[in-house]
Amino acid sequence: MADILSILPQQLVFGLALGTVYGLIALGYTMVYGILFMINFAHGEIFMIGAYLGWGVLTFLLNAQIAGLHAAWVVPLMLLQAMLGAGLLGVCLERFAYRPLYARGATRLGPLISAIGASIFLQNAVMLTQGARMKVYMTSLLFPRAWRFEILGVSISVLVIVMIAAAALMMWGLHELVQRTTLGRSIRAVAEDREMAAVVGVNVRRVIAVTFFLGSALAGAGGVLVGLYYTQIDFFMGYSAGLKAFTAAVLGGIGNIRGAMLGGLLLGLIESLAVTFINPAYKDVVAFAVLIVTLVVRPTGLLGDVSAQAEKV
Amino acid sequence: MLRLTDVVAHYGPLRVLSSVTLEVRSGEIVCLLGGNASGKSTTMKTILGLVRPSAGQVELEGARIDGLPTEAIVRRGVSLVPEARRIFGRMTVWENLQMGALTRRGAPPPELAADVERVYGLFPRLGERAGQLGGTLSGGEQQMLAMGRALMARPRLLLMDEPSMGLSPALVDQVFDTIQAINRQGTTILVVEQNATVALGIAHRGYVLQNGRIVAHDAADALLRADHIRRAYLGED
């Protein structure tokens, strides 16, 4: 037991890092649900493609043998590329896979099935173009193993700090955008009452597209961070990460932005506790048990608005 | 300012408006009377592009607006105070007012701030509750907020859908006094009402809608005097 307790702080730090990334991906699910009441099941694939885009930047720089590769500029470049690419992909998905359905008054099931189709399509597109074998992130070139320090006996790598800081910064940025800007108010207005939003002059289609861009860009950034952390990516990685992030979004209360952040953090921490106290093999079991328990005990999630949910039904 | 000519509208196979023709002239208050399901709200929705007319045309200041997307119509200076208020309940009073001014992007912030103050001047309760969420306001306060939100757009034409619904008689008087005050400041108003007495009391002209057809239109005081109107809409035998 003493052994287990000694590694607990270390595991909690890992859990925190993973949790912020889950939160980052969960935001996309929750924003799209908030605005269209649909679960974008292709969101995990957008995350995966973000990871590939970041990997592409890193590989390009390595192949070009550019001297002086340093995490301080390479990582932002990878994130930028992944966010732009993933964001645009999200906008395309909405435009071509979902809008034709919901604009013609399809039931909520239509876009959902289209999303599952898009997910399968994107997985196979990446497998066919990039190969089925995993790709390796050369993380150690950017973050040498020696880059770590000890705080209260816990060894923390610079990479973990960068992950937490980057994810936290993006979440803060999104929160400020949604709460304080005209665009953010328009997003909230469309989420609350789409027709009334149009009546005060909101260009609803554009706001929906922007929402997809933002959510997808965050997932793309999450892909790069996860790639750097696990150092391996493959075309199927979006499936489980997507399910985890979906769990985080439901845990926090789907449709609620702060809920997605909180749900992600909690899920990351719960997983790391499961790894420490139960068995690493049960990590996913615990995560999905959390999903089931949440749905049974508190279907609206931790921060979900019970009355708002009731109105929607 | 606004002219509907032979407008026909359907909800699926159901015909809701049959050849509706009406006109609102600049500076007027016009009221559109009618019972439940007479097509009043559909007329409003058709003007705003929320319902596409299947025939006929809608003109705003001489230009056709039917077929334009709602936000484009709103940008031409039409604001709506909707039925049942429909304020943004999860936004504060101040944020709701900012949403009202969305079509004025580019307006200098001091000008917008002055307009917010003007709304607070009109409805002091809103000023006291500026930071409160819209959903926590009382029904009367929500009606004030819906009106304030519409005014923030500085509309040339203000559409009001059942502003008296669900309000106490004292509040109804206050709301209609305010409508008159807004009109005197130069805003043209089209108001849809079931409460015909109050609406005709402030309107210049009125139209009566029945089963999607205009069955009468005249000066407001003439409608108030007309026997069949009194029987049908003023609850008199």
Side-chain angles (χ1 to χ4, degrees):
Chain A
M1 194 66 191
D3 283 353
I4 290 178
L5 284 182
S6 70
I7 60 165
L8 181 60
Q10 187 79 60
Q11 288 297 330
L12 286 179
V13 172
F14 291 150
L16 196 65
L18 212 55
T20 47
V21 175
Y22 285 157
L24 212 53
I25 311 169
L27 282 169
Y29 280 108
T30 228
M31 288 172 74
V32 166
Y33 183 84
I35 213 157
L36 285 181
F37 300 121
M38 76 167 267
I39 304 294
N40 178 11
F41 273 116
H43 192 59
E45 274 56 53
I46 290 178
F47 154 85
M48 175 267 290
I49 287 171
Y52 271 87
L53 289 169
W55 172 83
V57 171
L58 186 56
T59 308
F60 172 80
L61 292 175
L62 290 174
N63 288 343
Q65 296 189 317
I66 292 171
L69 286 187
H70 191 284
W73 65 270
V74 176
V75 173
L77 200 65
M78 291 162 73
L79 286 175
L80 188 72
Q81 167 83 3
M83 290 175 82
L84 272 179
L88 291 176
L89 179 63
V91 172
C92 290
L93 269 187
E94 190 271 328
R95 178 68 190 80
F96 297 111
Y98 308 147
R99 191 192 296 173
L101 293 165
Y102 73 73
R104 286 178 200 155
T107 60
R108 279 155 72 168
L109 203 55
L112 193 75
I113 292 167
S114 185
I116 293 171
S119 158
I120 296 170
F121 173 80
L122 291 174
Q123 270 180 24
N124 284 279
V126 171
M127 185 186 74
L128 289 173
T129 56
Q130 301 299 314
R133 295 179 62 182
M134 61 182 62
K135 304 280 186 195
V136 177
Y137 257 69
M138 304 297 272
T139 308
S140 54
L141 292 176
L142 295 174
F143 296 94
R145 290 189 201 289
W147 280 19
R148 52 198 312 123
F149 44 88
E150 297 227 347
I151 303 172
L152 303 171
V154 183
S155 169
I156 302 177
S157 72
V158 172
L159 172 62
V160 165
I161 304 282
V162 167
M163 275 173 80
I164 296 174
L169 188 71
M170 285 180 229
M171 287 186 197
W172 174 80
L174 180 77
H175 187 264
E176 291 296 298
L177 175 89
V178 169
Q179 290 300 323
R180 302 205 194 285
T181 66
T182 306
L183 172 64
R185 277 196 291 274
S186 298
I187 293 175
R188 283 186 287 148
V190 173
E192 200 174 328
D193 185 340
R194 198 193 296 182
E195 187 177 81
M196 198 56 226
V199 166
V200 296
V202 175
N203 184 335
V204 174
R205 282 185 172 183
R206 207 180 67 198
V207 164
I208 291 174
V210 168
T211 305
F212 266 85
F213 183 88
L214 290 172
S216 303
L218 295 180
V224 172
L225 297 178
V226 165
L228 286 169
Y229 186 71
Y230 285 120
T231 70
Q232 292 171 348
I233 60 171
D234 62 50
F235 69 95
F236 202 59
M237 70 188 283
Y239 179 73
S240 68
L243 272 180
K244 293 281 177 64
F246 173 63
T247 304
V250 172
L251 175 62
I254 191 125
N256 185 312
I257 287 182
R258 284 178 210 162
M261 302 178 189
L262 177 69
L265 269 182
L266 283 178
L267 192 68
L269 291 173
I270 290 169
E271 270 195 28
S272 70
L273 290 178
V275 167
T276 315
F277 288 109
I278 306 175
N279 185 330
Y282 284 104
K283 194 176 73 161
D284 291 353
V285 175
V286 170
F288 296 126
V290 166
L291 175 64
I292 293 167
V293 170
T294 310
L295 288 173
V296 171
V297 178
R298 199 178 156 84
T300 54
L302 295 172
L303 300 186
D305 184 352
V306 178
S307 61
Q309 290 294 324
E311 279 168 22
K312 280 170 199 160
V313 174
Chain B
M1 163 160 273
L2 175 77
R3 188 197 298 271
L4 275 70
T5 315
D6 294 327
V7 168
V8 179
H10 290 82
Y11 281 136
L14 191 70
R15 179 182 268 231
V16 214
L17 295 182
S18 307
S19 193
V20 168
T21 297
L22 68 83
E23 186 187 12
V24 183
R25 298 182 203 122
S26 197
E28 273 187 324
I29 301 180
V30 171
C31 79
L32 185 57
L33 303 172
N36 283 326
S38 58
K40 302 185 309 278
S41 292
T42 308
T43 308
M44 290 296 205
K45 288 188 170 182
T46 310
I47 296 169
L48 280 166
L50 293 167
V51 170
R52 290 277 160 90
S54 25
Q57 55 184 45
V58 183
E59 286 165 279
L60 185 70
E61 294 184 323
R64 275 189 78 161
I65 56 167
D66 50 290
L68 290 182
T70 300
E71 72 262 12
I73 296 172
V74 172
R75 278 173 206 287
R76 289 173 178 230
V78 184
S79 272
L80 172 73
V81 181
E83 188 179 351
R85 359 276 189 223
R86 286 171 75 174
I87 52 151
F88 298 112
R90 279 175 265 160
M91 290 191 204
T92 66
V93 167
W94 183 85
E95 285 179 322
N96 267 281
L97 293 178
Q98 296 300 313
M99 283 310 293
L102 195 74
T103 50
R104 292 167 61 196
R105 212 169 295 165
E111 192 182 301
L112 292 179
D115 281 5
V116 170
E117 287 307 320
R118 199 168 301 148
V119 170
Y120 292 163
L122 213 52
F123 307 109
R125 294 290 284 272
L126 296 182
E128 293 161 18
R129 286 160 168 62
Q132 208 170 308
L133 290 183
T136 65
L137 300 179
S138 73
E141 289 162 352
Q142 291 193 359
Q143 183 64 49
M144 293 171 193
L145 181 54
M147 287 169 71
R149 180 179 63 185
L151 288 178
M152 284 299 293
R154 288 200 179 174
R156 284 180 292 172
L157 174 65
L158 183 61
L159 306 177
M160 306 191 79
D161 199 349
E162 305 267 6
S164 75
M165 201 206 273
L167 299 184
S168 69
L171 265 174
V172 170
D173 287 344
Q174 195 192 333
V175 163
F176 276 81
D177 284 348
T178 313
I179 294 175
Q180 234 173 349
I182 294 166
N183 174 249
R184 281 198 206 101
Q185 288 167 14
T187 308
T188 307
I189 296 173
L190 174 62
V191 55
V192 158
E193 259 296 345
Q194 293 206 38
N195 189 339
T197 326
V198 203
L200 287 172
I202 63 158
H204 300 104
R205 291 187 305 117
Y207 288 82
V208 179
L209 200 57
Q210 211 171 52
N211 296 327
R213 289 175 195 280
I214 300 280
V215 292
H217 72 101
D218 209 336
D221 46 357
L223 283 177
L224 267 175
R225 285 195 305 269
D227 281 346
H228 63 287
I229 302 295
R230 296 170 72 96
R231 271 198 300 278
Y233 299 103
L234 304 181
E236 295 180 11
D237 292 324

